[in-house]
């Protein structure tokens, strides 16, 4: 009480609360942040690639993104980790940044540089387009049903319940039945819809949005400039000044 009497704070209205905003990338451009690994003794390079899709409130697109991610996850790991042995860490799936959902692929490798890793991700996406085209409705239904089971699974601990509820409160969303709504929407997602979604947001280089973080470990630092020069200049934009980059693009609406 004494502190408030001394400071005499004023009420901050909701529309005055600070809001996190995300820049809206241009379609058809591959934005890249390339850096050498700060630890000169670290031999690992890394690639983080993200394809933005939609606000987390757009549940229709989010459920298609999740199902698509489920379909690609096993084949991504099998191809890039098991068969090509690019690195110990190979992750893929949906990822949320400040309320914006998208599809991501992460690879850490001591044997290949990030530009090569990016080329293998593109090759994987090309294979995935063919696999989706050949997929039957019966196969697709198995992924849909599996996603519904995951969404409707009850929390196993009080901590899990707390985290799920607090996530909604912390994001000012208060959609405490989000998973249930997603499960209901999943029942009507079609294979053709998922194919088009994959093409529009992840595969088609003309319609997708893409940004990558490339970290060059000490095994590949010397080749960084040479390797980056191999990327197509017409569709590649390097981010050297992050502040200037963010100020040059429009922002997504406030979520």
């Amino acid at each position: 009480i004494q502190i408030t009497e001394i400071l005499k704070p004023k009420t901050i209205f909701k529309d005055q609360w600070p809001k996190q905003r995300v820049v809206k990338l241009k379609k058809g451009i591959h934005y890249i942040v390339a850096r050498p690994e700060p630890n000169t003794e670290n031999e690992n390079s890394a690639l983080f690639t993200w394809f933005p899709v939609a606000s987390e409130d757009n549940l229709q697109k989010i459920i298609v993104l999740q199902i698509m991610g489920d379909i690609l996850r096993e084949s991504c790991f099998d191809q890039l980790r098991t068969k090509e042995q690019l690195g110990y860490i190979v992750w893929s799936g949906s990822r949320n940044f400040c309320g914006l959902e998208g599809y991501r692929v992460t690879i850490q490798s001591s044997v290949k540089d990030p530009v090569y890793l990016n080329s293998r991700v593109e090759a994987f996406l090309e294979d995935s387009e063919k696999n989706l085209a050949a997929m039957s409705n019966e196969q697709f239904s198995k992924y849909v049903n599996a996603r519904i089971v995951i969404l409707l699974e009850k929390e196993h601990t009080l901590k899990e319940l707390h985290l799920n509820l607090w996530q909604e409160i912390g994001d000012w969303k208060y959609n405490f039945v989000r998973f249930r709504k997603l499960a209901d929407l999943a029942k009507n997602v079609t294979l053709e819809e998922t194919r088009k979604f994959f093409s529009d947001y992840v595969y088609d280089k003309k319609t997708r949005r893409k940004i990558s973080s490339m970290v060059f470990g000490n095994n590949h630092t010397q080749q960084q400039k040479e390797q980056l020069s191999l990327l197509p200049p017409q569709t590649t934009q390097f981010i050297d000044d992050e502040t200037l980059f963010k100020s040059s693009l429009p922002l997504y609406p406030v979520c």
Side-chain angles (χ1 to χ4, degrees):
I1 297 177
Q2 293 179 349
I3 294 177
T4 57
E5 290 177 351
I6 294 173
L7 298 178
K8 294 182 174 56
K10 296 181 180 180
T11 301
I12 300 177
F13 298 102
K14 186 174 181 179
D15 59 0
Q16 296 176 313
W17 294 358
K19 298 179 178 66
Q20 292 180 319
R21 302 289 298 276
V22 182
V23 296
K24 192 171 187 177
L25 305 177
K26 294 180 181 178
K27 294 181 180 180
I29 302 295
H30 183 192
Y31 296 91
I32 296 175
V33 179
R35 300 283 188 272
E37 161 60 51
N39 180 3
T40 56
E41 296 182 0
N42 188 353
E43 63 182 13
N44 290 302
S45 292
L47 171 73
F48 178 92
T49 293
W50 189 56
F51 303 88
V53 172
S55 164
E56 62 186 3
D57 294 331
N58 191 331
L59 299 186
Q60 181 59 50
K61 288 187 177 180
I62 299 312
I63 188 56
V64 181
L65 171 64
Q66 291 183 357
I67 293 172
M68 182 201 76
D70 293 341
I71 294 172
L72 301 184
R73 182 175 294 109
E74 184 176 348
S75 58
C76 179
F77 186 88
D78 180 60
Q79 181 62 39
L80 303 180
R81 170 69 175 88
T82 306
K83 294 180 179 177
E84 299 189 28
Q85 298 186 357
L86 295 178
Y88 183 74
I89 294 177
V90 175
W91 295 331
S92 68
S94 60
R95 178 67 185 268
N96 185 309
F97 279 109
C98 301
L100 187 66
E101 291 275 359
Y103 177 72
R104 66 85 184 264
V105 178
T106 303
I107 306 175
Q108 178 180 293
S109 176
S110 61
V111 295
K112 295 295 182 180
D113 66 88
V115 175
Y116 180 84
L117 299 178
N118 176 72
S119 70
R120 298 316 301 156
V121 170
E122 291 295 340
F124 160 71
L125 295 179
E126 188 169 341
D127 290 340
S128 298
E129 193 272 338
K130 297 175 183 177
N131 293 336
L132 278 171
M135 178 174 285
S136 67
N137 285 308
E138 183 180 0
Q139 291 173 310
F140 179 74
S141 295
K142 293 180 180 179
Y143 286 102
V144 172
N145 293 333
R147 172 49 51 178
I148 292 174
V149 169
I150 292 173
L151 290 168
L152 296 181
E153 184 178 8
K154 292 185 177 181
E155 295 84 356
H156 295 94
T157 65
L158 184 60
K159 181 179 179 180
E160 287 183 11
L161 177 61
H162 164 79
L163 290 175
N164 288 339
L165 296 178
W166 195 252
Q167 182 71 44
E168 294 292 332
I169 296 171
D171 290 344
W172 308 332
K173 300 296 182 179
Y174 313 112
N175 188 357
F176 300 113
V177 291
R178 180 182 300 272
F179 293 165
R180 194 183 312 163
K181 289 181 178 179
L182 287 170
D184 288 339
L185 290 171
K187 299 173 184 177
N188 297 317
V189 176
T190 66
L191 174 56
E192 189 56 39
E193 179 184 6
T194 306
R195 287 170 177 159
K196 186 177 187 307
F197 185 94
F198 171 76
S199 177
D200 291 346
Y201 290 103
V202 180
Y203 178 65
D204 192 330
K205 295 180 181 180
K206 294 181 179 179
T207 61
R208 71 184 184 185
R209 294 180 169 90
K210 179 182 179 182
I211 186 168
S212 298
S213 173
M214 297 183 175
V215 178
F216 289 77
N218 66 11
N219 281 355
H220 310 116
T221 304
Q222 300 298 323
Q223 296 83 33
Q224 177 176 340
K225 186 176 181 179
E226 177 184 356
Q227 290 301 105
L228 290 173
S229 68
L230 299 177
L231 295 166
Q234 299 87 351
T235 56
T236 302
Q237 181 174 330
F238 295 103
I239 303 173
D240 299 315
D241 186 323
E242 295 177 11
T243 302
L244 181 62
F245 162 72
K246 289 187 286 187
S247 65
S248 67
L249 292 172
L251 299 173
Y252 279 96
V254 177
C255 295

